[in-house]
Structures are given as structure tokens and as C-alpha cells.
């Protein structure tokens, strides 16, 4: 039997790890070759490769990351039982900074290589892992098998193919296309499309030139680091709790902006154990479905009220605890949960009865758009407002994601992803609600509020604003071609904010869309009709073409243009974004199975079934790694 896994980033390695764990459970009936194929580094893929600079950091603390599907059990590391990133890091680095540290992405790549080596060392005797560094350009069905064509002309044949191809760079559309065309007409200009910052040609940007950076999310922080630390500048403590930046003189002027005008807020200082799971008191799949309409849901009407009630519950309960009233907090929670028996409870009204009438509820719009509706007399006034907002956010973040009411409540959004997926995946919402309420309104706000960078990044932003290396234009920042032959960056809400720049960098993660993906394999699969774009069809004739690859439920076979699943192919991760939600997650948690591992295991079970000799309880996960 021959199996090909195309893409060896976290998703591909997770499928391989679960295949190895299942094959190790009992006798293997026939020789099995597993081809692990990647166009970049085998075992890390492009995003996590080990040769990228140390200033590119992860956005999840090391203690919450594991590529093994079970924790160490006292024996040797092996598929199903191995160290988390934090445990491995502590064993290889004398300067290990602690479990709640943020690892460089290159170090995580080294960890993934360790996982891959561990898998290979522990494969059963009849199983062979064959690493292939190449780009797969085409795939053809061939008498019940699959023929993969590589860019160098080599062909491989497989009985099963798992496609975990990860991030790509889609074709430009809209304003991005206009900006790129403007740069093409003026050779002295640069337009750098959205991608991993490690793959952007940032070293080509001249010192002292003006650079516009579109977006203030996670990728912005990577670009910022590359253009400052990466140019030899240094951040130093100034003795008062703030950072000072010492320029090297090789930096460009960074002019950044976004819709909000606010860099992504920091995640609260981690106070949670790695196997922490939020116990939803209100926002559960069962409750939403039981009280929702029959058929597809409206996210705004059926799901969001319960989620906001859960956020409010944690916010007010944590506020009571912070005031030294834990007994009141417990009674408050019990009263809210009891009220939920008849519908969405008015958490704010209940909180008022516990002395919290003076505490306004969390407004997600106000949190995600802190400068909305405000006008500023000039860049200096806006920078003062921004610096104050950064300081306020850092104070909340330093207080911690358990002790601080705001950060604890916003962590509920992060901890609710699995519930949301259960409601929205595979057209769980009406087409209009999927498109407008969920992707149009909720997802941008949840991405802004629940996926924060390390606190150090916001301190660095403040230091760069203070020394003038960084400017943030203001809310609703506009990037446009300028008649001078340059680009213009400005905010309509900040008087005198316009700056002309020679380079524009799109520092936003490209939105996956199978219809716009130029990769040869994607185009080949689409042209054959093996991959199709998933369409959410409404009962009233409305439809929403999502751009995600259409797949079945677990184990995620692609659905071809005739509506039939191809049961020898599997698609997992980013290509299926919008068919399913939040497929860009890159790791699981130690101690319990998130759906990241559950999805990988479902594919592994199906792929390996023909060669696994049945034995009792073979489909159960190890006790230490049982799905939550």
C-alpha cells in the first residue's frame, strides 16, 4: 500500500503522527510506504522552516502547543506520547525562558523536525517513510489509484492521497491589484503582496525610505520586527517599565494603518494550565440548536446572543472576584444559569443586582474599533490617543487572562471556537448570515480580540511610536496610487495624516479561496472537477459560494463536480476554509485532543484501515489523549 501526504506542515505531520500511532497498535498486514511531500523543508513546511530569523515569534505560549497526540508517559517519545513544545524546548535550551514564553517560529520548526524524526524511528517494521522534497503539479486518477506528477517530471503512484497544502498566495483583487499595477508602472515603487513575512523581500527596502504597511494584525508585528530588529536596532528597558528603541540608522519610516487604527491587542498574561478548557455555562451547541429555528441558523439571531451572554457572564463574575467577592460571583453565576432555562438571560440586569450596575457590558464593536466616530486635529493628537490605548491594553494584559475581567472575558471568544465550528461548518448558517453576520461582522472582530500577540509586541509599538520610526495613520486608513508617482497613505479622520511612500506591504494574511489560488496543483484539481468550491445553498434560492474546497464530513473527502466524494483523497486545513471555519490553526494542545488532532486521527484511521489487522478497541484513543 502506498500513501502520499502532500504538505508537511503541522496538519500533514499530525496526520502522519496519528497514522504511525494507529499502525503501532497492532500487526500491519502488508508493506506500507508513506510519501511525505513538501516543496520546502520536510517536516516544517514553508511557514515553520528552521532558517527564518529569530524575531519571528509564535502567538501561542509554548506550554499550549504540542505536535504529539498524547503526553509523555514515562517511556520513550513515540507517536501518541511525546513532549509538548515547552517540554522539548526546556530539554534542549539552557536559556529556556519558561513555559509561558513565545517561541521563535524557527524553534518550533526544530521541534517539528524532532517530532518527524521520532515518528520515523518508531514506525513498525513493514512501514517505510519516504521524504520527497518537490512540488506536486498535478494529480490524476488511474484505475483506482492516483498518479502524482512532480515539477521535475517524476511520477509517484499512491492508493491514498492526503492533501494538507497550507498557505498559498492567491491572485490579487480589488485595491491590491490597483496598487500592484501602479508599482508595475513605476519601477522605483514596490508593492509586496500578503504572505509570510519571512518570505517577503523586506531586505530590498532602502534605509530611510517611507514604507506603507497595510494591516495592524499579527503579520504587521512580523513586518515591524523585520524592519527594526532585523535592521540591527535594539529595544532596551528604560528603567521606568517602558521600552526605548535605539535605531541603527538602517530602518525605513514605517507608516501603518488599518480599519481600526489600533494594532492587535495583546493576549493576557497566561495564567491557565495547558489543559485548561472553558466550561461553557450558556453558549453550548445543544442550547443554540434547541432554541434556534429549524434548519439553518442565523448567526446574529440564534448564536451570537448566547455567545455574548457567555462573555458577559465571565466578565461580571471575574469583576466580582477581583473585588474580593467570590461568594457573590458564584451566586451570580448560578442565577444567570437558572435564568437561561427560559431563553437568553439578561446578564447585565442580573449583574446590577450584585452591585455592578456601574460596570458597562463589553461592547465588541467598541473594543475592535476603539477610535470609531472620533476625529483628530492632527497626527500628534491621534498618536497620543493611540499611545494611551496601548498603555490601557497592556495594563489589562499584564493583569492576566484569569484575573483581569476584560482579558478573561475576551478569552471566552478564543475558547468558543469549537462551539462556533459546530454551528457554522457545512452550511450550518443561512447563506446571508454566513456571508454577512458571520464572515462579514463576527470573524473580523473575533480575530482582532481573541488572537493577540505577546505583550512585548505592544511595548515595542509604543517605543517605535515614541522615537518616530513608526507612525500609525489613523482609523480607516486608505492606501491609494498617487499622481506624484508614489503611493499615498492617509486616514480621513486625522487631519494632515497623508504620507507619500515608495513601498506598500500588505501585512494581512491572504484569505484562502480555491477559485483564486494560482498553485498548479490547485488549478489542476479544479480543472478536473476533483476540487470544487463549496456552495451554501439556502432554502429560499439564496446561495453563497464560499471559496473553500467542498469536502464531506469526517474524514473529509473532496466532493467533485458531479457531487460524488472521492474516497481515496482527503483534504484538511486551509484549503477548506469557509467550508469549515478556522482551519489556519497550527497546533493542538497537550493533555487533550482538540479538533485539530481529532480531524487528523479520523483521516489516519480511514487511510490505514486496509492494512491494520483488527483487534479489540483499536478505534479508541489512548486514555491520556482521549478526545474532550
Amino acid at each position: 500500500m502506498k500513501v502520499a501526504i502532500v504538505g508537511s506542515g503541522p496538519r500533514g505531520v499530525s496526520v502522519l503522527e496519528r497514522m504511525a500511532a494507529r499502525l503501532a497498535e497492532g500487526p500491519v498486514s502488508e508493506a506500507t510506504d508513506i510519501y511525505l511531500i513538501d516543496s520546502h523543508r520536510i517536516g516544517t513546511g514553508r511557514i515553520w522552516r528552521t532558517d527564518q530569523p529569530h524575531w519571528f515569534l509564535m502567538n501561542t505560549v509554548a506550554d499550549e502547543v504540542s505536535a504529539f497526540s498524547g503526553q509523555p508517559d514515562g517511556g520513550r517519545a513515540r507517536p501518541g506520547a511525546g513532549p509538548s513544545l515547552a517540554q522539548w524546548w526546556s530539554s534542549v535550551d539552557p536559556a529556556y525562558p519558561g513555559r509561558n514564553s513565545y517561541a521563535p517560529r524557527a524553534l518550533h520548526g526544530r521541534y517539528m523536525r524532532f517530532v518527524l524524526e521520532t515518528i520515523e524511528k518508531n514506525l513498525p517494521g513493514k512501514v517505510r517513510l519516504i521524504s520527497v522534497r518537490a512540488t506536486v503539479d498535478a494529480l490524476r486518477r488511474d484505475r483506482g489509484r492516483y498518479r502524482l506528477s512532480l515539477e521535475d517530471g517524476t511520477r509517484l503512484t499512491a492508493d491514498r492521497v492526503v492533501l494538507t497544502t497550507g498557505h498559498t498566495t492567491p491572485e490579487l483583487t480589488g485595491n491590491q491589484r490597483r496598487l500592484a499595477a501602479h508599482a508595475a508602472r513605476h519601477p522605483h515603487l514596490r508593492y509586496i503582496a500578503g504572505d509570510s513575512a519571512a518570505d517577503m523581500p523586506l531586505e530590498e527596502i532602502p534605509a530611510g525610505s517611507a514604507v506603507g504597511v497595510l494591516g495592524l494584525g499579527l503579520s504587521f508585528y512580523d513586518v515591524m520586527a523585520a524592519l527594526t530588529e532585523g535592521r540591527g536596532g535594539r529595544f532596551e528597558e528604560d528603567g521606568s517599565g517602558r521600552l526605548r528603541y535605539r535605531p541603527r540608522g538602517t530602518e525605513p519610516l514605517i507608516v501603518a494603518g488599518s480599519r481600526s487604527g489600533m494594532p492587535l491587542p495583546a493576549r493576557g498574561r497566561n495564567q491557565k494550565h495547558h489543559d485548561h478548557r472553558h466550561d461553557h455555562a450558556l453558549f453550548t451547541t445543544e442550547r443554540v440548536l434547541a432554541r434556534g429555528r429549524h434548519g439553518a441558523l442565523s448567526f446574529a439571531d440564534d448564536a451570537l446572543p448566547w455567545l455574548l451572554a457567555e462573555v458577559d457572564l465571565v466578565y461580571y463574575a471575574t469583576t466580582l472576584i477581583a473585588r474580593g467577592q467570590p461568594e457573590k460571583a458564584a451566586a451570580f453565576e448560578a442565577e444567570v444559569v437558572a435564568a437561561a432555562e427560559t431563553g437568553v438571560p439578561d446578564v447585565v440586569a442580573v449583574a446590577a443586582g450584585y452591585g455592578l450596575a456601574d460596570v458597562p457590558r463589553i461592547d465588541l464593536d467598541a473594543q475592535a474599533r476603539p477610535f470609531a466616530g472620533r476625529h483628530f486635529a492632527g497626527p500628534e493628537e491621534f498618536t497620543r490617543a493611540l499611545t494611551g490605548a496601548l498603555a490601557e491594553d497592556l495594563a489589562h494584559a499584564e493583569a492576566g487572562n484569569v484575573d483581569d475581567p476584560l482579558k478573561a472575558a475576551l478569552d471566552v471568544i478564543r475558547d468558543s471556537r469549537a462551539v462556533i465550528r459546530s454551528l457554522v461548518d457545512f452550511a450550518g448558517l443561512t447563506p446571508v448570515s454566513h456571508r454577512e453576520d458571520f464572515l462579514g461582522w463576527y470573524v473580523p472582530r473575533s480575530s482582532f480580540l481573541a488572537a493577540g500577540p505577546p505583550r512585548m509586541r505592544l511595548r515595542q509599538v509604543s517605543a517605535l511610536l515614541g522615537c518616530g520610526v513608526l507612525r500609525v495613520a489613523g482609523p480607516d486608513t486608505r492606501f491609494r496610487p498617487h499622481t506624484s508617482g508614489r503611493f499615498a497613505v492617509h486616514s480621513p479622520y486625522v487631519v494632515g495624516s497623508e504620507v507619500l511612500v515608495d513601498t506598500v506591504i500588505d501585512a494581512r494574511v491572504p484569505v484562502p479561496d480555491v477559485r483564486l489560488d494560482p498553485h498548479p496543483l490547485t488549478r489542476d484539481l479544479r480543472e478536473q472537477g476533483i476540487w470544487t468550491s463549496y456552495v451554501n445553498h439556502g432554502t429560499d434560492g439564496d446561495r453563497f459560494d464560499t471559496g473553500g474546497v467542498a469536502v464531506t464530513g469526517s474524514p473529509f473527502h473532496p466532493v467533485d463536480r458531479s457531487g460524488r466524494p472521492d474516497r481515496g483523497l482527503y483534504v484538511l486545513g486551509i484549503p477548506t476554509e469557509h467550508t469549515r471555519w478556522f482551519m489556519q490553526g497550527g497546533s493542538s494542545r497537550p493533555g487533550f485532543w482538540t479538533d485539530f488532532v481529532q480531524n487528523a486521527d479520523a483521516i489516519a484511521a480511514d487511510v490505514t484501515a486496509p492494512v491494520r489487522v483488527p483487534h479489540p478497541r483499536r478505534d479508541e484513543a489512548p486514555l491520556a489523549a482521549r478526545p474532550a
Side-chain angles (χ1 to χ4, degrees):
M1 178 171 163
K2 296 181 184 297
V3 178
I5 301 175
V6 182
S8 70
R11 293 277 186 182
V13 170
S14 184
V15 171
L16 177 65
E17 193 263 359
R18 287 308 306 156
M19 286 177 61
R22 284 186 169 273
L23 291 169
E25 290 175 357
V28 177
S29 63
E30 64 180 87
T32 302
D33 286 346
I34 305 171
Y35 294 96
L36 186 61
I37 308 170
D38 203 292
S39 57
H40 292 80
R41 182 76 187 272
I42 302 297
T44 67
R46 179 169 68 97
I47 303 301
W48 302 102
R49 65 179 192 270
T50 58
D51 61 351
Q52 58 190 302
H54 65 84
W55 49 77
F56 295 133
L57 302 178
M58 299 183 72
N59 297 299
T60 304
V61 295
D63 198 42
E64 293 182 349
V65 175
S66 182
F68 286 100
S69 54
Q71 296 189 85
D73 59 3
R76 71 184 188 283
R78 63 195 185 280
S84 68
L85 172 60
Q87 291 167 327
W88 173 84
W89 189 2
S90 69
S91 72
V92 300
D93 185 359
Y96 169 62
R99 64 186 184 89
N100 286 319
S101 300
Y102 293 84
R105 287 209 288 266
L107 184 118
H108 183 258
R110 289 175 52 200
Y111 169 65
M112 290 181 64
R113 288 289 302 173
F114 163 76
V115 174
L116 179 61
E117 291 164 4
T118 301
I119 293 170
E120 189 165 15
K121 288 176 184 176
N122 289 276
L123 289 173
K126 289 185 177 181
V127 181
R128 184 171 59 153
L129 179 64
I130 303 166
S131 296
V132 180
R133 184 171 179 178
T135 298
V136 179
D137 284 342
L139 179 150
R140 293 287 184 278
R141 297 185 178 104
D142 185 8
R143 289 171 292 183
R145 306 182 85 190
Y146 302 92
R147 187 174 70 250
L148 285 72
S149 299
L150 310 184
E151 61 181 345
D152 63 0
T154 303
R155 291 183 177 180
L156 298 176
T157 300
D159 301 286
R160 302 279 191 276
V161 179
V162 182
L163 297 161
T164 53
T165 47
H167 290 277
T168 61
T169 51
E171 296 173 357
L172 301 179
T173 60
N175 194 45
Q176 284 62 53
R177 180 182 290 176
R178 286 189 290 273
L179 294 171
H182 186 62
R185 290 192 297 269
H186 299 84
H188 64 285
L189 299 183
R190 292 175 180 81
Y191 174 77
I192 300 175
D195 199 357
S196 168
D199 291 309
M200 293 178 175
L202 302 178
E203 69 284 351
E204 297 177 2
I205 298 171
S209 67
V211 177
V213 181
L214 200 172
L216 291 169
L218 293 175
S219 293
F220 158 73
Y221 291 106
D222 290 338
V223 171
M224 180 190 80
L227 296 177
T228 54
E229 290 180 280
R231 295 292 180 100
R234 299 196 318 275
F235 291 97
E236 300 174 348
E237 297 287 346
D238 71 355
S240 67
R242 293 191 294 265
L243 286 183
R244 177 190 298 116
Y245 181 70
R246 294 195 178 278
R248 179 72 179 273
T250 54
E251 301 89 347
L253 168 65
I254 305 170
V255 184
S258 67
R259 284 174 297 181
S260 71
M262 175 74 181
L264 206 65
R267 189 178 177 215
R269 177 175 57 84
N270 187 48
Q271 299 176 294
K272 299 176 181 178
H273 194 263
H274 62 72
D275 63 357
H276 168 81
R277 280 163 278 188
H278 176 69
D279 185 12
H280 287 80
L282 304 174
F283 182 52
T284 65
T285 303
E286 296 75 21
R287 181 171 272 133
V288 172
L289 293 178
R291 289 167 170 78
R293 68 186 71 188
H294 294 294
L297 301 171
S298 162
F299 187 80
D301 296 337
D302 300 322
L304 185 61
W306 288 102
L307 173 58
L308 295 180
E310 187 83 32
V311 170
D312 287 339
L313 176 63
V314 171
Y315 180 58
Y316 287 114
T318 307
T319 299
L320 288 169
I321 293 170
R323 293 181 176 183
Q325 301 173 316
E327 296 84 4
K328 267 193 171 184
F332 162 71
E333 290 177 337
E335 184 173 339
V336 170
V337 171
E341 292 303 313
T342 57
V344 181
D346 188 342
V347 181
V348 178
V350 177
Y354 288 81
L356 299 176
D358 60 327
V359 180
R361 71 181 301 177
I362 293 177
D363 183 337
L364 294 191
D365 268 328
Q367 291 293 324
R369 305 286 187 269
F371 306 116
R374 297 176 61 182
H375 290 76
F376 301 88
E380 296 79 8
E381 181 180 331
F382 174 72
T383 299
R384 285 193 297 272
L386 174 59
T387 301
L390 293 169
E392 182 179 353
D393 182 68
L394 273 169
H396 285 294
E398 291 291 349
N401 60 3
V402 171
D403 293 341
D404 183 78
L406 178 62
K407 292 299 181 181
L410 294 180
D411 249 23
V412 171
I413 297 174
R414 181 176 183 264
D415 293 335
S416 297
R417 288 170 181 159
V419 178
I420 292 173
R421 276 192 288 263
S422 73
L423 298 171
V424 308
D425 286 1
F426 300 109
L429 304 176
T430 66
V432 66
S433 184
H434 191 178
R435 181 176 55 245
E436 297 176 9
D437 302 336
F438 185 63
L439 295 176
W441 187 88
Y442 177 74
V443 169
R445 286 156 180 79
S446 70
S447 298
F448 185 86
L449 297 172
R455 303 185 305 283
M456 178 63 70
R457 289 302 198 203
L458 268 73
R459 299 182 68 206
Q460 292 172 345
V461 168
S462 294
L464 292 171
L465 288 169
C467 73
V469 170
L470 169 67
R471 299 180 193 174
V472 176
D476 197 20
T477 306
R478 313 288 175 84
F479 294 75
R480 71 180 195 281
H482 194 267
T483 54
S484 65
R486 303 177 76 188
F487 298 107
V489 181
H490 88 288
S491 166
Y493 299 99
V494 180
V495 175
S497 62
E498 183 172 277
V499 178
L500 299 182
V501 302
D502 301 306
T503 300
V504 169
I505 302 168
D506 192 340
R508 300 170 301 175
V509 176
V511 177
D513 191 327
V514 68
R515 299 164 299 181
L516 299 175
D517 186 349
H519 193 283
L521 178 59
T522 302
R523 289 191 167 180
D524 177 68
L525 292 169
R526 286 185 57 229
E527 288 168 2
Q528 295 182 73
I530 296 174
W531 274 13
T532 58
S533 178
Y534 184 80
V535 178
N536 181 345
H537 290 281
T539 56
D540 58 357
D542 190 17
R543 66 195 301 274
F544 171 42
D545 192 339
T546 67
V549 174
V551 293
T552 66
S554 176
F556 316 113
H557 301 298
V559 179
D560 66 21
R561 67 164 61 108
S562 67
R564 292 176 300 190
D566 191 320
R567 301 197 181 278
L569 296 179
Y570 310 81
V571 189
L572 185 62
I574 288 170
T576 65
E577 183 68 30
H578 303 323
T579 306
R580 307 172 66 208
W581 180 60
F582 204 74
M583 291 292 99
Q584 68 267 36
S587 65
S588 188
R589 298 274 290 274
F592 66 98
W593 280 16
T594 65
D595 54 5
F596 185 93
V597 176
Q598 293 176 37
N599 291 174
D601 183 66
I603 292 175
D606 202 65
V607 168
T608 59
V611 297
R612 283 187 291 125
V613 176
H615 69 88
R617 303 173 65 85
R618 72 178 187 278
D619 288 324
E620 289 196 15
L623 286 174
R626 195 66 54 80

